[in-house]
Amino acid sequence: QVQLVESGGGLVQAGGSLILSCVASGSTLTRNVMGWYRQAPGKQRELVASITSGSVTNYAESVKGRFTISRDNAKNTVYLQMNSLKPEDAAVYYCNVHRDLFPSYDYWGQGTQVTVSS
């Protein structure tokens, strides 16, 4: 079992920055993908950014150039540096870790609220 604990959400003015952190504890394996998703009210959950164990990254078009995902494998931690925040970035941000290779798994954090005031 894996537990994911997010931190770093909060209220920020448009144009400001926040950094989210997510620590994975429990039985974690290498060769997985850690990522951040977000869900705004009335909208579907969407991928924001992901990063593999080998640090290959993937970003949603809407955050490219503004957000940076990184991970510390030794600490089982993934970060999301969010710069130039916009009101449309406001959402609950969820941390995810999944592994497609056997033994596969897919775990979610409880979510952290990001609010951006205009």
Side-chain angles (χ1 to χ4, degrees):
Q1 190 73 12
V2 174
Q3 294 80 41
L4 301 175
V5 179
E6 301 119 330
S7 61
L11 172 64
V12 64
Q13 286 188 332
S17 298
L18 281 175
I19 182 165
L20 305 182
S21 301
C22 173
V23 180
S25 61
S27 177
T28 57
L29 299 173
T30 58
R31 300 186 71 182
N32 58 34
V33 180
M34 299 189 81
W36 290 95
Y37 291 71
R38 66 187 181 188
Q39 187 168 20
K43 295 188 177 181
Q44 290 190 331
R45 189 174 298 188
E46 62 176 357
L47 173 68
V48 176
S50 64
I51 183 167
T52 70
S53 298
S55 296
V56 176
T57 59
N58 181 44
Y59 293 93
E61 285 295 327
S62 60
V63 306
K64 281 183 179 179
R66 300 188 297 122
F67 291 10
T68 302
I69 190 169
S70 61
R71 64 187 286 170
D72 184 333
N73 290 329
K75 297 181 178 179
N76 285 330
T77 301
V78 63
Y79 305 95
L80 185 68
Q81 174 71 51
M82 304 186 292
N83 297 328
S84 302
L85 282 160
K86 304 175 181 180
E88 52 262 43
D89 294 317
V92 177
Y93 283 70
Y94 296 91
C95 177
N96 173 268
V97 59
H98 71 269
R99 174 184 161 94
D100 295 331
L101 298 174
F102 180 84
S104 63
Y105 53 78
D106 188 7
Y107 295 102
W108 293 89
Q110 80 287 353
T112 185
Q113 179 71 50
V114 172
T115 304
V116 184
S117 62
S118 57

